[in-house]
Amino acid sequence: MLTPDSPTERVARTLTSDFPTVSHSIPMLSLENSYDENDLNDFDTRIKELTGKTAIEYCVEPKFDGSSIAIIYENDLLVRAATRGDGIQGDEITNNARRMKSVPLSAKFSALGIYRVELRGEVVINKKTFAKINEKREEEGLQILQNPRNSAAGTLRVKDSIEVEKRGLEAFMYQMAYAVDKDGNDMFNTTLLNKHFNNINQLGTLGFKIPNQEKKLCKSIAEVHAFIQSWEEKRDDYEYEIDGMVIKVNDIDLQKECGATSHHPRWAIAYKFKAREVETELLDVEYQVGRTGAITPVAKVKPVFVGGVTVSSISLHNEDIIREKDIRIGDVVVVQRAGDVIPYIDRVVLPKRKENSEPFIFTRECPSCQQPIVKPAEEAVYRCVNAECKAQAEERLIHFVSKDAMDIDGFGRETVSSFYKEGILMSIPEIYSLDFDRIGKLEGWKEKSINKLRDGITKSKEQPLWRLVNGLGVRHIGTQTAKDLVKTINNLKELFEVTPEQLQSIEGIGPKVASSVLDYFHNAGNQHMILELEEKGLNLKNQKVEQQSAKLNNLTFLFTGSLTRFTRDEAKELVESNGGKLISSVSKNLHYLVAGENAGSKLDKAKALGTVNIIDEEAFLNMIK
Ligand code: IVH
């Protein structure tokens, strides 16, 4: 029988035409904000007055910067998910919530005696995933997403639920809003559920994503402050965007005593970290030409220090973004930089706009070759389509030697540019027959730097094939697609005869990428260049991971927490070279969970399942010794 938690239910693609409005049984309130130690002390005093207690236990947890969600489970099954909306009514987005890996379709609430429960949480996108999505979108000429918060909010309401999965949405549960048993009795009265901190941990055990090490039970407001301080320092290194911490009275009875205003609960408060945004002046907009001809507008601003770095150039991505935000030269703009998110212009400070300012007019010609630029209908960026455009040729060379491609030691943007301008290096194959005597005559080049460059170039001939494929600069191909593509071939030359059908059957390659791969590798000029590279000694063969042993044959592995004995990539190689397989989530199909330090929800889930062998790095290494 197909029950709502059947795996096929998650697999089925749903196209939602609209999202019905639904009412929240308990309003989804906001939080009051606080900014310093004094505010926290005032909060503590207020709580003590409201409850008549002299000591209060607080739970302190990150304030995730995403979009809130309310999820209802009945009889152990997910029955409804909704956005916050105005707090009273939101949009029903159950189908999209089902696409989030961290939202179980069913959870054993019945084991706790709970029949119906509503959970509140924050939908977020991991910073790395966010960066990857944008990289891919940029490659595909799609509008880039401004920050993880906006994209989480936007993605919750996408019509095609597959997008939710593609964009890697996750949800952290931060509150059990209500829980009743079969007879409708409030379960918060029971010792099982009368403490917030424990309730969250229970959710972790049931398979939800929760703040683990990220939260702390504090016995005093001084302890609260110290914990917040420690987070203010490490928030940039954290995987998710957070904009503060939330301090909550831990005892649910006491929460009820405190009550709420129409705007926020009195038993909780947000502590906001210092904003990482600053105002500066937009001096000019310049244009960059990418290796595929994409024309990117770049804002030149008066240098400002924000989020730990000085910023003077900021990508504006495309004309639409400039127009939407009505950014004009001379404007005072707000620059934001959050953690490792690239700095961006969030908005214009309109009251400071100069009277004589004029709307920005986007160029219609390539800044390098002055040819007219074009914009394909479904794309966000303009492109220069002149095959002879010098800026593109130079960018292609820079890309070829870069870290993500051939990663040639001693070769960077500046070097390529200077060689290009001198006419020493005009095409990719020429990298492998450089005239080092001529280079030696250039300023700044000594024997040592020349040898370093020569070694770097020689070594690059043996780089794995995906690096070469990425380096060629085929449109729509980035590191991930390059890896997907080479998995299926033994030699790059096979792509000279590849068919559209073959390409489309490769996981991760859609029609757009397939047609671009086909165009590139069927082109006689490109084939000629690849053969020339082979003649010069480049590796065109795909060296697949060599099988070392069959010790892990038929076994599945998952690594979690921070690893100290090997990196994630090395772990993957160790598993695969010994015949094992990596899988990405904890389920009955998982044989071994290798848990490093600070392992979180995956470890909890594996423990709860009871079928997974949980081992540490040492034990894993012993298995393949
Ligand atoms: S508790 C009644 N805890 O912050 C309790 N909220 O400004 C209200 N948020 O809309 C929320 N992380 O979306 C709580 N650990 C956390 C949170 C959190 C993020 C969001 C939430 C809420 C907003 C309030």
Side-chain angles (χ1 to χ4, degrees):
M1 197 185 80
L2 195 71
T3 61
D5 67 330
S6 299
T8 48
E9 278 291 285
R10 208 194 276 278
V11 174
R13 179 184 202 149
T14 40
L15 291 168
T16 310
S17 53
D18 64 338
F19 300 101
T21 304
V22 289
S23 297
H24 297 297
S25 54
I26 303 171
M28 290 184 82
L29 299 179
S30 281
L31 286 167
E32 191 187 356
N33 286 330
S34 67
Y35 301 93
D36 57 28
E37 201 166 356
N38 284 340
D39 293 347
L40 286 181
N41 289 337
D42 291 347
F43 170 71
D44 185 44
T45 309
R46 252 185 351 254
I47 296 289
K48 286 174 178 160
E49 280 169 7
L50 284 166
T51 59
K53 301 270 180 214
T54 51
I56 300 281
E57 203 173 47
Y58 294 108
C59 174
V60 185
E61 57 205 42
K63 185 168 186 299
F64 298 101
D65 198 7
S67 188
S68 41
I69 190 173
I71 313 175
I72 301 175
Y73 285 81
E74 210 172 78
N75 211 3
D76 289 347
L77 296 178
L78 190 169
V79 292
R80 190 187 96 175
T83 62
R84 176 174 185 272
D86 62 4
I88 307 294
Q89 291 187 316
D91 293 341
E92 202 233 279
I93 47 141
T94 314
N95 286 332
N96 284 350
R98 290 202 161 136
R99 284 279 160 192
M100 284 185 244
K101 287 222 175 64
S102 51
V103 174
L105 300 177
S106 72
K108 272 263 165 244
F109 286 105
S110 54
L112 302 171
I114 301 174
Y115 176 70
R116 188 178 159 93
V117 59
E118 176 164 339
L119 310 178
R120 304 266 167 96
E122 195 80 353
V123 175
V124 293
I125 297 183
N126 180 310
K127 288 179 193 166
K128 277 209 189 100
T129 312
F130 175 75
K132 268 199 197 142
I133 292 171
N134 264 348
E135 229 170 75
K136 204 153 182 172
R137 289 180 75 87
E138 197 133 41
E139 269 166 30
E140 291 179 8
L142 295 173
Q143 181 83 276
I144 67 119
L145 310 167
Q146 282 280 330
N147 56 44
R149 180 193 345 115
N150 290 353
S151 31
T155 308
L156 276 185
R157 261 181 296 268
V158 293
K159 302 230 152 76
D160 183 352
S161 64
I162 291 260
E163 261 311 288
V164 177
E165 200 166 302
K166 273 204 201 144
R167 294 200 201 166
L169 283 199
E170 299 175 81
F172 274 102
M173 292 303 134
Y174 60 63
Q175 194 196 10
M176 229 187 238
Y178 71 76
V180 294
D181 68 12
K182 260 217 144 23
D183 303 318
N185 297 315
D186 179 3
M187 300 272 302
F188 288 139
N189 298 326
T190 65
T191 49
L192 188 71
L193 293 185
N194 68 355
K195 297 280 194 286
H196 166 76
F197 188 86
N198 284 349
N199 291 353
I200 298 300
N201 285 344
Q202 304 248 40
L203 293 179
T205 315
L206 288 173
F208 291 89
K209 191 174 183 70
I210 56 158
N212 271 307
Q213 258 77 33
E214 297 95 329
K215 69 180 188 308
K216 187 178 177 189
L217 211 46
C218 295
K219 297 247 177 288
S220 68
I221 204 73
E223 215 180 296
V224 167
H225 195 247
F227 187 60
I228 291 177
Q229 287 286 294
S230 73
W231 266 97
E232 182 135 25
E233 281 157 27
K234 68 185 172 206
R235 74 151 154 161
D236 278 349
D237 304 325
Y238 187 51
E239 279 179 89
Y240 300 89
E241 200 52 56
I242 61 177
D243 59 347
M245 301 294 283
V246 185
I247 301 99
K248 299 174 180 173
V249 170
N250 190 38
D251 187 297
I252 308 245
D253 281 338
L254 292 184
Q255 288 185 358
K256 284 185 188 150
E257 274 181 43
C258 294
T261 70
S262 61
H263 171 260
H264 61 261
R266 290 198 190 87
W267 47 265
I269 196 163
Y271 181 100
K272 299 282 279 205
F273 291 144
K274 277 167 211 78
R276 285 174 304 190
E277 58 171 45
V278 17
E279 289 182 8
T280 187
E281 190 188 334
L282 176 62
L283 304 173
D284 197 8
V285 174
E286 291 176 359
Y287 299 93
Q288 273 173 6
V289 187
R291 64 188 156 90
T292 59
I295 309 286
T296 309
V298 180
K300 297 286 162 186
V301 299
K302 213 181 216 171
V304 277
F305 192 71
V306 55
V309 293
T310 301
V311 173
S312 57
S313 283
I314 305 169
S315 173
L316 290 166
H317 302 289
N318 60 53
E319 185 185 24
D320 294 343
I321 289 188
I322 301 180
R323 198 179 305 138
E324 269 162 35
K325 298 184 179 177
D326 188 17
I327 294 171
R328 304 178 181 191
I329 290 172
D331 273 349
V332 173
V333 291
V334 176
V335 178
Q336 289 205 354
R337 182 178 181 273
D340 35 18
V341 175
I342 304 158
Y344 64 98
I345 293 184
D346 185 61
R347 58 189 187 275
V348 172
V349 186
L350 283 178
K352 295 192 183 169
R353 173 164 280 170
K354 295 190 181 98
E355 258 174 36
N356 60 354
S357 89
E358 284 181 19
F360 183 77
I361 298 173
F362 203 87
T363 186
R364 288 290 178 267
E365 65 177 40
C366 172
S368 167
C369 67
Q370 279 76 45
Q371 294 293 306
I373 55 179
V374 296
K375 186 166 123 167
E378 74 286 13
E379 296 197 358
V381 295
Y382 276 93
R383 283 176 200 279
C384 167
V385 288
N386 171 15
E388 310 294 318
C389 174
K390 288 220 159 65
Q392 287 179 54
E394 187 177 334
E395 287 299 325
R396 278 198 293 272
L397 285 165
I398 290 167
H399 173 72
F400 187 85
V401 303
S402 72
K403 284 251 165 309
D404 280 347
M406 295 299 271
D407 192 15
I408 303 184
D409 211 20
F411 228 159
R413 172 173 281 276
E414 306 301 321
T415 309
V416 174
S417 285
S418 84
F419 290 179
Y420 191 78
K421 291 201 173 75
E422 293 290 331
I424 294 175
L425 172 61
M426 306 308 285
S427 72
I428 289 173
E430 284 176 21
I431 293 175
Y432 296 94
S433 49
L434 279 177
D435 182 347
F436 287 102
D437 290 339
R438 231 178 119 190
I439 292 171
K441 295 196 182 87
L442 295 179
E443 212 188 294
W445 286 92
K446 304 232 162 56
E447 202 184 319
K448 205 170 152 199
S449 47
I450 290 181
N451 285 341
K452 187 175 171 203
L453 181 62
R454 191 187 276 123
D455 286 353
I457 292 173
T458 308
K459 273 200 200 123
S460 77
K461 294 181 181 174
E462 292 306 322
Q463 283 289 33
L465 188 59
W466 69 264
R467 289 190 168 274
L468 175 59
V469 170
N470 187 25
L472 292 174
V474 184
R475 256 188 88 184
H476 303 319
I477 290 210
T479 47
Q480 193 50 53
T481 334
K483 284 178 187 170
D484 290 341
L485 188 60
V486 301
K487 261 189 222 150
T488 62
I489 56 172
N490 295 310
N491 190 303
L492 188 57
K493 286 185 281 187
E494 287 168 28
L495 293 182
F496 295 176
E497 272 131 40
V498 77
T499 65
E501 294 73 32
Q502 281 169 324
L503 283 172
Q504 290 220 36
S505 66
I506 304 173
E507 210 184 306
I509 295 192
K512 213 165 164 178
V513 179
S515 113
S516 165
V517 169
L518 218 64
D519 285 352
Y520 187 94
F521 289 97
H522 285 195
N523 174 293
N526 292 333
Q527 291 184 359
H528 179 78
M529 179 183 75
I530 290 167
L531 295 175
E532 203 180 330
L533 287 174
E534 186 181 36
E535 254 167 48
K536 290 184 165 170
L538 260 82
N539 163 47
L540 302 191
K541 292 200 195 78
N542 185 20
Q543 290 137 344
K544 300 212 170 101
V545 181
E546 248 176 70
Q547 200 69 16
Q548 309 272 353
S549 88
K551 286 186 180 135
L552 308 182
N553 263 5
N554 301 322
L555 294 179
T556 57
F557 290 82
L558 175 61
F559 292 80
T560 187
S562 41
L563 305 176
T564 53
R565 303 288 308 269
F566 34 73
T567 65
R568 293 223 165 211
D569 280 346
E570 285 161 357
K572 182 172 188 290
E573 205 169 317
L574 286 172
V575 169
E576 287 174 356
S577 63
N578 286 287
K581 210 177 129 193
L582 276 179
I583 58 178
S584 59
S585 64
V586 178
S587 72
K588 292 232 161 64
N589 299 329
L590 178 65
H591 297 118
Y592 287 91
L593 181 76
V594 185
E597 265 171 54
N598 296 331
S601 58
K602 290 203 174 105
L603 178 58
D604 297 337
K605 196 170 171 192
K607 280 183 186 158
L609 256 181
T611 56
V612 182
N613 297 297
I614 299 167
I615 59 172
D616 61 10
E617 291 171 81
E618 203 59 52
F620 169 73
L621 288 173
N622 281 333
M623 287 178 79
I624 51 176
K625 229 190 204 152

